[in-house]
Amino acid sequence: MKLSSRTIAVLLSLLVATILSLLAWLSPSLPLREGVLVAGITIAACFLLLYLMFEALIFQEINNIYEGLEHIKRKEFRRMSNKFLFRPEPLKRMRDEILDMAQRKQQEIDELKRLQVLRREFLADVSHELKTPIFAAQGFVHTILDDDDVDEFTRKKFLQKAASSLDALDALVQDLVTISQLEKGVVRMRRQNFDLVQLVHDIFEQLELKAVRRNVQLALSPPEFPAGGLHVLADRNRIRQVLINLIDNAIKYGRENGHVTVELTENAKSVRVSVRDDGEGIPKQHQNRIFERFYRIDKSRTRESREAGGSGLGLAISKHIVEAHKSAIRVQSEPGQGTTLEFKLAKPKAVNLRSDEAVS
């Protein structure tokens, strides 16, 4: 049976008081009434004395423990340095606090382990992605250098392939720099008022050739907008980058002879942008990780992305850009039913129709 410090103090004080009272009652020099009074005073005095001494001893041990714990979490335990003095069951509360701290520390350890695994995966992926164009360029250049009989046509062809590999390497490095700056908050968003409908049409024209190669039809929904288009307040160049990444992925991983639809839905304060394809869809277990750098759902997609010139960082960059606009990209997908990626952009206020301001 567990006894609190108060219960132990009461038992000890009653024991001492009983003995003293018995001696006082048996003493011939004290009458019965005064003996009872002495007993009460003795009980109260013994209780207070023993209780305070007991608590003081416990508090001394608690301070010793907290001196060690402060090295682990100084700020949290400093505010609790006087919390347990002269209060009941301090050890129980301290145990709860320690268990709570241990649970948080375990969660931090688990998170660090998860991040360590992600770091190793990232290093392996980025090493592989860097080596691919480097080795390709090296191969073409060394072939030309090692063979003096290479004709001019072959030489030019190999140099063009080497240049393409180096261009892919440059794009990968630039994407790595961009995502690093976005994660650190270095990149500033130039928020301006622009027509989102016109931007989508411009991107459709830019990606038309890729869509034609896979016989994919690009569509904007609704097809008609009021004169003046649909205006938002955002960084036009960065939102252009996001839409290119999302639409390009939809073309790449959607169904051949299929459709890619960009839907714009507005309310009083914002515009919801949805990019929908009719491809195989993304399984549930992968949906929370597709925005990680170089995350691969399957090897075939990795090969397709590399052949198409993708760096594997498009969705990760898009995620950070959208978050810098105080929004988030949501994924809606079911296997065999296609994928929809959507986010929201703020609409300009009437007084800010010509605004152009920088925001972090």
Side-chain angles (χ1 to χ4, degrees), residues 288-347:
N288 292 330
R289 301 196 61 188
I290 61 173
F291 299 103
E292 296 177 9
R293 294 171 290 187
F294 300 117
Y295 183 73
R296 294 173 289 191
I297 294 179
D298 56 53
K299 294 182 179 180
S300 61
R301 283 199 170 195
T302 304
R303 289 195 299 269
E304 290 175 8
S305 177
R306 189 178 297 114
E307 291 169 0
S311 67
L313 295 171
L315 288 180
I317 292 174
S318 299
K319 171 181 177 290
H320 286 289
I321 292 175
V322 171
E323 288 178 350
H325 285 81
K326 310 300 181 184
S327 184
I329 301 183
R330 301 181 183 275
V331 183
Q332 297 179 6
S333 183
E334 294 291 340
Q337 298 182 15
T339 300
T340 299
L341 300 177
E342 64 180 30
F343 60 94
K344 291 183 179 181
L345 294 174
K347 295 177 66 175

Short mmCIF file of all heavy atoms in Angstrom, two decimals, residues 288-347:
data_model
loop_
_atom_site.label_atom_id
_atom_site.label_comp_id
_atom_site.label_asym_id
_atom_site.label_seq_id
_atom_site.Cartn_x
_atom_site.Cartn_y
_atom_site.Cartn_z
N ASN A 288 1.39 11.29 -48.53
CA ASN A 288 2.01 12.25 -47.61
C ASN A 288 3.50 12.47 -47.90
O ASN A 288 4.11 13.34 -47.29
CB ASN A 288 1.85 11.78 -46.16
CG ASN A 288 0.41 11.82 -45.70
OD1 ASN A 288 -0.38 12.64 -46.17
ND2 ASN A 288 0.05 10.95 -44.79
N ARG A 289 4.07 11.70 -48.84
CA ARG A 289 5.50 11.78 -49.06
C ARG A 289 5.89 12.24 -50.46
O ARG A 289 7.07 12.39 -50.74
CB ARG A 289 6.15 10.41 -48.79
CG ARG A 289 5.95 9.87 -47.38
CD ARG A 289 6.90 8.74 -47.09
NE ARG A 289 8.29 9.19 -47.18
CZ ARG A 289 9.34 8.35 -47.11
NH1 ARG A 289 9.14 7.06 -46.95
NH2 ARG A 289 10.58 8.82 -47.21
N ILE A 290 4.91 12.48 -51.31
CA ILE A 290 5.25 12.83 -52.69
C ILE A 290 5.91 14.19 -52.79
O ILE A 290 6.52 14.51 -53.82
CB ILE A 290 4.00 12.79 -53.61
CG1 ILE A 290 2.96 13.80 -53.13
CG2 ILE A 290 3.44 11.39 -53.68
CD1 ILE A 290 1.79 13.92 -54.08
N PHE A 291 5.81 15.02 -51.75
CA PHE A 291 6.44 16.33 -51.78
C PHE A 291 7.84 16.31 -51.17
O PHE A 291 8.46 17.36 -51.04
CB PHE A 291 5.57 17.35 -51.04
CG PHE A 291 4.20 17.53 -51.67
CD1 PHE A 291 3.09 16.96 -51.09
CD2 PHE A 291 4.06 18.26 -52.83
CE1 PHE A 291 1.84 17.11 -51.66
CE2 PHE A 291 2.81 18.42 -53.41
CZ PHE A 291 1.71 17.85 -52.84
N GLU A 292 8.32 15.14 -50.79
CA GLU A 292 9.70 15.04 -50.31
C GLU A 292 10.66 15.06 -51.49
O GLU A 292 10.33 14.60 -52.59
CB GLU A 292 9.90 13.76 -49.50
CG GLU A 292 9.08 13.71 -48.23
CD GLU A 292 9.25 12.38 -47.50
OE1 GLU A 292 10.13 11.60 -47.89
OE2 GLU A 292 8.49 12.13 -46.54
N ARG A 293 11.86 15.55 -51.24
CA ARG A 293 12.86 15.63 -52.30
C ARG A 293 13.26 14.23 -52.79
O ARG A 293 13.60 13.37 -51.98
CB ARG A 293 14.10 16.38 -51.80
CG ARG A 293 13.82 17.83 -51.50
CD ARG A 293 14.99 18.48 -50.81
NE ARG A 293 15.16 17.99 -49.45
CZ ARG A 293 16.03 18.49 -48.58
NH1 ARG A 293 16.82 19.49 -48.95
NH2 ARG A 293 16.14 18.00 -47.37
N PHE A 294 13.18 14.03 -54.09
CA PHE A 294 13.59 12.79 -54.76
C PHE A 294 12.77 11.57 -54.32
O PHE A 294 13.21 10.44 -54.53
CB PHE A 294 15.08 12.49 -54.51
CG PHE A 294 16.01 13.57 -54.99
CD1 PHE A 294 16.80 14.26 -54.11
CD2 PHE A 294 16.09 13.87 -56.34
CE1 PHE A 294 17.67 15.26 -54.54
CE2 PHE A 294 16.95 14.87 -56.79
CZ PHE A 294 17.73 15.55 -55.89
N TYR A 295 11.60 11.80 -53.70
CA TYR A 295 10.83 10.63 -53.28
C TYR A 295 10.32 9.88 -54.50
O TYR A 295 9.81 10.48 -55.45
CB TYR A 295 9.65 11.04 -52.40
CG TYR A 295 8.87 9.85 -51.89
CD1 TYR A 295 9.40 9.04 -50.90
CD2 TYR A 295 7.63 9.52 -52.43
CE1 TYR A 295 8.71 7.94 -50.45
CE2 TYR A 295 6.93 8.42 -51.97
CZ TYR A 295 7.48 7.63 -50.98
OH TYR A 295 6.79 6.53 -50.53
N ARG A 296 10.47 8.54 -54.47
CA ARG A 296 10.11 7.71 -55.61
C ARG A 296 8.97 6.76 -55.23
O ARG A 296 9.10 5.98 -54.29
CB ARG A 296 11.31 6.90 -56.08
CG ARG A 296 12.42 7.74 -56.64
CD ARG A 296 13.65 6.94 -56.94
NE ARG A 296 14.33 6.51 -55.70
CZ ARG A 296 15.54 5.98 -55.66
NH1 ARG A 296 16.20 5.79 -56.78
NH2 ARG A 296 16.09 5.64 -54.52
N ILE A 297 7.88 6.85 -55.96
CA ILE A 297 6.77 5.91 -55.75
C ILE A 297 7.13 4.55 -56.32
O ILE A 297 6.92 3.51 -55.71
CB ILE A 297 5.48 6.45 -56.38
CG1 ILE A 297 5.03 7.72 -55.65
CG2 ILE A 297 4.37 5.40 -56.32
CD1 ILE A 297 3.78 8.34 -56.23
N ASP A 298 7.72 4.54 -57.49
CA ASP A 298 8.21 3.29 -58.09
C ASP A 298 9.33 3.63 -59.07
O ASP A 298 9.52 4.77 -59.46
CB ASP A 298 7.08 2.51 -58.78
CG ASP A 298 6.36 3.33 -59.83
OD1 ASP A 298 7.05 3.88 -60.71
OD2 ASP A 298 5.13 3.42 -59.77
N LYS A 299 10.09 2.62 -59.44
CA LYS A 299 11.26 2.84 -60.27
C LYS A 299 10.89 3.29 -61.68
O LYS A 299 11.62 4.03 -62.32
CB LYS A 299 12.10 1.57 -60.34
CG LYS A 299 12.73 1.19 -59.00
CD LYS A 299 13.58 -0.04 -59.13
CE LYS A 299 14.22 -0.40 -57.80
NZ LYS A 299 15.07 -1.62 -57.89
N SER A 300 9.75 2.82 -62.18
CA SER A 300 9.37 3.20 -63.54
C SER A 300 9.13 4.70 -63.62
O SER A 300 9.50 5.35 -64.59
CB SER A 300 8.12 2.44 -63.97
OG SER A 300 7.03 2.74 -63.12
N ARG A 301 8.52 5.27 -62.57
CA ARG A 301 8.30 6.71 -62.57
C ARG A 301 9.62 7.46 -62.51
O ARG A 301 9.79 8.52 -63.08
CB ARG A 301 7.42 7.12 -61.38
CG ARG A 301 5.95 6.82 -61.60
CD ARG A 301 5.08 7.63 -60.67
NE ARG A 301 3.69 7.53 -61.04
CZ ARG A 301 2.75 8.36 -60.59
NH1 ARG A 301 3.06 9.32 -59.78
NH2 ARG A 301 1.50 8.20 -60.98
N THR A 302 10.59 6.92 -61.78
CA THR A 302 11.89 7.56 -61.70
C THR A 302 12.55 7.61 -63.07
O THR A 302 13.12 8.61 -63.48
CB THR A 302 12.79 6.80 -60.71
OG1 THR A 302 12.13 6.75 -59.45
CG2 THR A 302 14.12 7.50 -60.54
N ARG A 303 12.48 6.50 -63.79
CA ARG A 303 13.07 6.46 -65.13
C ARG A 303 12.36 7.44 -66.06
O ARG A 303 12.98 8.16 -66.82
CB ARG A 303 12.99 5.04 -65.69
CG ARG A 303 13.94 4.06 -65.01
CD ARG A 303 14.06 2.80 -65.84
NE ARG A 303 12.78 2.13 -65.98
CZ ARG A 303 12.33 1.20 -65.14
NH1 ARG A 303 13.05 0.85 -64.10
NH2 ARG A 303 11.16 0.61 -65.34
N GLU A 304 11.02 7.45 -65.99
CA GLU A 304 10.27 8.36 -66.84
C GLU A 304 10.64 9.81 -66.55
O GLU A 304 10.81 10.63 -67.44
CB GLU A 304 8.77 8.15 -66.63
CG GLU A 304 8.24 6.83 -67.18
CD GLU A 304 6.78 6.63 -66.83
OE1 GLU A 304 6.19 7.59 -66.29
OE2 GLU A 304 6.24 5.55 -67.07
N SER A 305 10.75 10.13 -65.26
CA SER A 305 11.08 11.50 -64.87
C SER A 305 12.47 11.88 -65.36
O SER A 305 12.68 12.99 -65.86
CB SER A 305 11.00 11.64 -63.35
OG SER A 305 11.38 12.93 -62.95
N ARG A 306 13.44 10.98 -65.24
CA ARG A 306 14.80 11.28 -65.67
C ARG A 306 14.86 11.44 -67.19
O ARG A 306 15.54 12.33 -67.71
CB ARG A 306 15.74 10.17 -65.22
CG ARG A 306 17.21 10.49 -65.42
CD ARG A 306 18.10 9.37 -64.91
NE ARG A 306 17.93 9.18 -63.49
CZ ARG A 306 17.42 8.09 -62.95
NH1 ARG A 306 17.04 7.10 -63.73
NH2 ARG A 306 17.29 7.98 -61.65
N GLU A 307 14.15 10.59 -67.90
CA GLU A 307 14.15 10.68 -69.36
C GLU A 307 13.49 11.98 -69.83
O GLU A 307 13.85 12.54 -70.85
CB GLU A 307 13.43 9.48 -69.97
CG GLU A 307 14.20 8.16 -69.78
CD GLU A 307 13.36 6.96 -70.16
OE1 GLU A 307 12.19 7.17 -70.55
OE2 GLU A 307 13.85 5.82 -70.08
N ALA A 308 12.51 12.45 -69.05
CA ALA A 308 11.82 13.68 -69.42
C ALA A 308 12.54 14.93 -68.94
O ALA A 308 12.09 16.04 -69.17
CB ALA A 308 10.39 13.67 -68.85
N GLY A 309 13.66 14.75 -68.26
CA GLY A 309 14.44 15.90 -67.82
C GLY A 309 14.04 16.42 -66.46
O GLY A 309 14.44 17.52 -66.08
N GLY A 310 13.27 15.69 -65.71
CA GLY A 310 12.86 16.16 -64.39
C GLY A 310 13.96 15.98 -63.36
O GLY A 310 14.74 15.03 -63.43
N SER A 311 14.01 16.90 -62.40
CA SER A 311 15.05 16.82 -61.37
C SER A 311 14.60 16.05 -60.15
O SER A 311 15.41 15.73 -59.29
CB SER A 311 15.46 18.24 -60.95
OG SER A 311 14.38 18.89 -60.28
N GLY A 312 13.30 15.76 -60.03
CA GLY A 312 12.79 15.09 -58.84
C GLY A 312 12.52 16.03 -57.69
O GLY A 312 12.23 15.59 -56.58
N LEU A 313 12.62 17.35 -57.95
CA LEU A 313 12.43 18.34 -56.90
C LEU A 313 11.22 19.25 -57.16
O LEU A 313 10.95 20.15 -56.37
CB LEU A 313 13.68 19.21 -56.77
CG LEU A 313 14.96 18.49 -56.31
CD1 LEU A 313 16.15 19.41 -56.44
CD2 LEU A 313 14.81 18.01 -54.88
N GLY A 314 10.53 19.03 -58.26
CA GLY A 314 9.45 19.93 -58.65
C GLY A 314 8.36 20.07 -57.60
O GLY A 314 7.95 21.18 -57.25
N LEU A 315 7.86 18.94 -57.09
CA LEU A 315 6.79 18.99 -56.10
C LEU A 315 7.27 19.55 -54.78
O LEU A 315 6.53 20.26 -54.09
CB LEU A 315 6.19 17.60 -55.90
CG LEU A 315 5.33 17.06 -57.05
CD1 LEU A 315 4.80 15.67 -56.71
CD2 LEU A 315 4.17 18.00 -57.36
N ALA A 316 8.52 19.24 -54.41
CA ALA A 316 9.06 19.80 -53.16
C ALA A 316 9.17 21.31 -53.25
O ALA A 316 8.82 22.04 -52.31
CB ALA A 316 10.42 19.18 -52.87
N ILE A 317 9.65 21.82 -54.38
CA ILE A 317 9.73 23.27 -54.58
C ILE A 317 8.34 23.89 -54.58
O ILE A 317 8.10 24.93 -53.96
CB ILE A 317 10.48 23.58 -55.89
CG1 ILE A 317 11.95 23.18 -55.76
CG2 ILE A 317 10.36 25.04 -56.26
CD1 ILE A 317 12.74 23.31 -57.04
N SER A 318 7.40 23.24 -55.27
CA SER A 318 6.02 23.75 -55.33
C SER A 318 5.41 23.84 -53.93
O SER A 318 4.72 24.82 -53.61
CB SER A 318 5.17 22.86 -56.22
OG SER A 318 5.67 22.81 -57.54
N LYS A 319 5.65 22.84 -53.11
CA LYS A 319 5.12 22.84 -51.75
C LYS A 319 5.61 24.06 -50.97
O LYS A 319 4.83 24.75 -50.31
CB LYS A 319 5.53 21.55 -51.04
CG LYS A 319 5.23 21.51 -49.55
CD LYS A 319 5.70 20.20 -48.95
CE LYS A 319 5.47 20.15 -47.43
NZ LYS A 319 6.38 21.09 -46.72
N HIS A 320 6.91 24.35 -51.05
CA HIS A 320 7.46 25.48 -50.31
C HIS A 320 6.96 26.82 -50.85
O HIS A 320 6.71 27.75 -50.07
CB HIS A 320 8.99 25.43 -50.36
CG HIS A 320 9.58 24.36 -49.49
ND1 HIS A 320 9.58 24.41 -48.11
CD2 HIS A 320 10.18 23.19 -49.80
CE1 HIS A 320 10.17 23.35 -47.61
NE2 HIS A 320 10.54 22.59 -48.61
N ILE A 321 6.80 26.92 -52.16
CA ILE A 321 6.28 28.17 -52.73
C ILE A 321 4.85 28.42 -52.27
O ILE A 321 4.50 29.55 -51.87
CB ILE A 321 6.36 28.12 -54.27
CG1 ILE A 321 7.82 28.13 -54.72
CG2 ILE A 321 5.61 29.30 -54.88
CD1 ILE A 321 8.01 27.96 -56.21
N VAL A 322 4.03 27.39 -52.32
CA VAL A 322 2.63 27.55 -51.91
C VAL A 322 2.56 27.88 -50.42
O VAL A 322 1.75 28.73 -50.00
CB VAL A 322 1.83 26.27 -52.24
CG1 VAL A 322 0.45 26.32 -51.61
CG2 VAL A 322 1.71 26.09 -53.74
N GLU A 323 3.37 27.22 -49.60
CA GLU A 323 3.37 27.52 -48.17
C GLU A 323 3.83 28.95 -47.90
O GLU A 323 3.38 29.58 -46.94
CB GLU A 323 4.25 26.52 -47.43
CG GLU A 323 3.63 25.13 -47.35
CD GLU A 323 4.54 24.13 -46.65
OE1 GLU A 323 5.72 24.48 -46.41
OE2 GLU A 323 4.08 23.02 -46.36
N ALA A 324 4.74 29.47 -48.73
CA ALA A 324 5.17 30.86 -48.57
C ALA A 324 4.03 31.83 -48.89
O ALA A 324 4.08 33.00 -48.49
CB ALA A 324 6.36 31.15 -49.48
N HIS A 325 3.01 31.36 -49.59
CA HIS A 325 1.81 32.16 -49.87
C HIS A 325 0.70 31.88 -48.84
O HIS A 325 -0.48 32.16 -49.11
CB HIS A 325 1.28 31.87 -51.28
CG HIS A 325 2.10 32.49 -52.38
ND1 HIS A 325 3.28 31.93 -52.84
CD2 HIS A 325 1.93 33.63 -53.09
CE1 HIS A 325 3.77 32.69 -53.80
NE2 HIS A 325 2.99 33.72 -53.98
N LYS A 326 1.07 31.32 -47.69
CA LYS A 326 0.12 31.03 -46.60
C LYS A 326 -0.97 30.06 -47.05
O LYS A 326 -2.15 30.21 -46.71
CB LYS A 326 -0.53 32.32 -46.07
CG LYS A 326 0.45 33.42 -45.74
CD LYS A 326 1.43 33.01 -44.67
CE LYS A 326 2.40 34.14 -44.33
NZ LYS A 326 3.44 33.72 -43.35
N SER A 327 -0.59 29.07 -47.83
CA SER A 327 -1.54 28.06 -48.28
C SER A 327 -0.86 26.70 -48.20
O SER A 327 0.22 26.56 -47.63
CB SER A 327 -2.00 28.35 -49.72
OG SER A 327 -2.99 27.44 -50.13
N ALA A 328 -1.51 25.67 -48.73
CA ALA A 328 -0.96 24.31 -48.70
C ALA A 328 -1.51 23.54 -49.89
O ALA A 328 -2.64 23.78 -50.34
CB ALA A 328 -1.32 23.60 -47.41
N ILE A 329 -0.70 22.63 -50.42
CA ILE A 329 -1.14 21.78 -51.53
C ILE A 329 -1.80 20.53 -50.95
O ILE A 329 -1.21 19.83 -50.12
CB ILE A 329 0.04 21.37 -52.43
CG1 ILE A 329 0.71 22.60 -53.02
CG2 ILE A 329 -0.45 20.47 -53.56
CD1 ILE A 329 1.85 22.29 -53.98
N ARG A 330 -3.01 20.25 -51.37
CA ARG A 330 -3.75 19.07 -50.92
C ARG A 330 -3.79 18.04 -52.04
O ARG A 330 -3.88 18.39 -53.21
CB ARG A 330 -5.17 19.46 -50.50
CG ARG A 330 -5.21 20.49 -49.37
CD ARG A 330 -6.65 20.80 -48.98
NE ARG A 330 -6.71 21.81 -47.96
CZ ARG A 330 -6.60 21.57 -46.65
NH1 ARG A 330 -6.43 20.32 -46.23
NH2 ARG A 330 -6.66 22.56 -45.77
N VAL A 331 -3.75 16.78 -51.63
CA VAL A 331 -3.76 15.67 -52.58
C VAL A 331 -5.06 14.90 -52.44
O VAL A 331 -5.45 14.53 -51.34
CB VAL A 331 -2.57 14.72 -52.35
CG1 VAL A 331 -2.55 13.62 -53.40
CG2 VAL A 331 -1.26 15.48 -52.34
N GLN A 332 -5.72 14.67 -53.56
CA GLN A 332 -6.90 13.81 -53.60
C GLN A 332 -6.66 12.77 -54.69
O GLN A 332 -6.55 13.13 -55.87
CB GLN A 332 -8.16 14.63 -53.90
CG GLN A 332 -8.50 15.66 -52.84
CD GLN A 332 -9.75 16.45 -53.18
OE1 GLN A 332 -10.44 16.17 -54.16
NE2 GLN A 332 -10.05 17.46 -52.38
N SER A 333 -6.57 11.53 -54.28
CA SER A 333 -6.26 10.49 -55.28
C SER A 333 -6.74 9.14 -54.80
O SER A 333 -6.69 8.83 -53.61
CB SER A 333 -4.74 10.45 -55.52
OG SER A 333 -4.42 9.51 -56.52
N GLU A 334 -7.20 8.36 -55.76
CA GLU A 334 -7.58 6.97 -55.53
C GLU A 334 -6.98 6.14 -56.66
O GLU A 334 -6.98 6.58 -57.82
CB GLU A 334 -9.10 6.80 -55.51
CG GLU A 334 -9.80 7.47 -54.34
CD GLU A 334 -9.51 6.80 -53.02
OE1 GLU A 334 -9.10 5.62 -53.03
OE2 GLU A 334 -9.70 7.43 -51.97
N PRO A 335 -6.44 4.96 -56.35
CA PRO A 335 -5.87 4.12 -57.41
C PRO A 335 -6.87 3.87 -58.53
O PRO A 335 -8.01 3.47 -58.29
CB PRO A 335 -5.51 2.82 -56.67
CG PRO A 335 -5.27 3.26 -55.26
CD PRO A 335 -6.26 4.37 -55.01
N GLY A 336 -6.43 4.16 -59.74
CA GLY A 336 -7.28 3.95 -60.91
C GLY A 336 -8.24 5.08 -61.21
O GLY A 336 -8.96 5.04 -62.21
N GLN A 337 -8.26 6.13 -60.36
CA GLN A 337 -9.21 7.22 -60.56
C GLN A 337 -8.54 8.57 -60.73
O GLN A 337 -9.18 9.62 -60.63
CB GLN A 337 -10.19 7.28 -59.37
CG GLN A 337 -11.02 6.02 -59.21
CD GLN A 337 -12.01 6.13 -58.07
OE1 GLN A 337 -12.27 7.21 -57.57
NE2 GLN A 337 -12.57 5.00 -57.66
N GLY A 338 -7.25 8.57 -60.98
CA GLY A 338 -6.57 9.83 -61.22
C GLY A 338 -6.17 10.54 -59.94
O GLY A 338 -6.41 10.07 -58.82
N THR A 339 -5.56 11.72 -60.12
CA THR A 339 -5.04 12.50 -59.00
C THR A 339 -5.41 13.96 -59.18
O THR A 339 -5.38 14.50 -60.29
CB THR A 339 -3.50 12.38 -58.92
OG1 THR A 339 -3.16 11.00 -58.74
CG2 THR A 339 -2.94 13.19 -57.76
N THR A 340 -5.76 14.61 -58.07
CA THR A 340 -6.03 16.04 -58.06
C THR A 340 -5.14 16.71 -57.02
O THR A 340 -5.12 16.29 -55.86
CB THR A 340 -7.51 16.34 -57.74
OG1 THR A 340 -8.34 15.74 -58.75
CG2 THR A 340 -7.76 17.84 -57.71
N LEU A 341 -4.41 17.72 -57.43
CA LEU A 341 -3.60 18.54 -56.53
C LEU A 341 -4.19 19.94 -56.54
O LEU A 341 -4.41 20.52 -57.62
CB LEU A 341 -2.14 18.57 -56.97
CG LEU A 341 -1.41 17.22 -57.02
CD1 LEU A 341 0.00 17.40 -57.54
CD2 LEU A 341 -1.37 16.59 -55.64
N GLU A 342 -4.43 20.49 -55.37
CA GLU A 342 -5.08 21.80 -55.31
C GLU A 342 -4.48 22.67 -54.21
O GLU A 342 -3.95 22.17 -53.22
CB GLU A 342 -6.59 21.66 -55.11
CG GLU A 342 -6.99 21.03 -53.79
CD GLU A 342 -8.50 20.91 -53.64
OE1 GLU A 342 -9.18 20.76 -54.66
OE2 GLU A 342 -8.99 21.00 -52.50
N PHE A 343 -4.57 23.97 -54.42
CA PHE A 343 -4.13 24.95 -53.43
C PHE A 343 -4.95 26.22 -53.63
O PHE A 343 -5.67 26.36 -54.62
CB PHE A 343 -2.63 25.23 -53.56
CG PHE A 343 -2.21 25.78 -54.89
CD1 PHE A 343 -2.11 27.15 -55.10
CD2 PHE A 343 -1.92 24.93 -55.95
CE1 PHE A 343 -1.73 27.67 -56.33
CE2 PHE A 343 -1.52 25.43 -57.18
CZ PHE A 343 -1.43 26.81 -57.37
N LYS A 344 -4.83 27.14 -52.69
CA LYS A 344 -5.60 28.38 -52.74
C LYS A 344 -4.66 29.58 -52.82
O LYS A 344 -3.56 29.57 -52.27
CB LYS A 344 -6.50 28.52 -51.51
CG LYS A 344 -7.64 27.52 -51.46
CD LYS A 344 -8.52 27.76 -50.25
CE LYS A 344 -9.69 26.77 -50.19
NZ LYS A 344 -10.56 27.02 -49.01
N LEU A 345 -5.15 30.62 -53.51
CA LEU A 345 -4.44 31.89 -53.59
C LEU A 345 -5.39 33.01 -53.20
O LEU A 345 -6.59 32.96 -53.50
CB LEU A 345 -3.92 32.13 -55.01
CG LEU A 345 -2.82 31.18 -55.51
CD1 LEU A 345 -2.51 31.46 -56.97
CD2 LEU A 345 -1.56 31.30 -54.67
N ALA A 346 -4.85 34.01 -52.52
CA ALA A 346 -5.69 35.12 -52.07
C ALA A 346 -6.08 36.02 -53.23
O ALA A 346 -5.30 36.23 -54.17
CB ALA A 346 -4.94 35.93 -51.01
N LYS A 347 -7.30 36.55 -53.16
CA LYS A 347 -7.75 37.52 -54.15
C LYS A 347 -7.34 38.92 -53.69
O LYS A 347 -7.30 39.20 -52.50
CB LYS A 347 -9.27 37.45 -54.33
CG LYS A 347 -9.74 36.13 -54.91
CD LYS A 347 -11.26 36.08 -55.00
CE LYS A 347 -11.80 37.09 -55.99
NZ LYS A 347 -13.27 36.94 -56.15
#
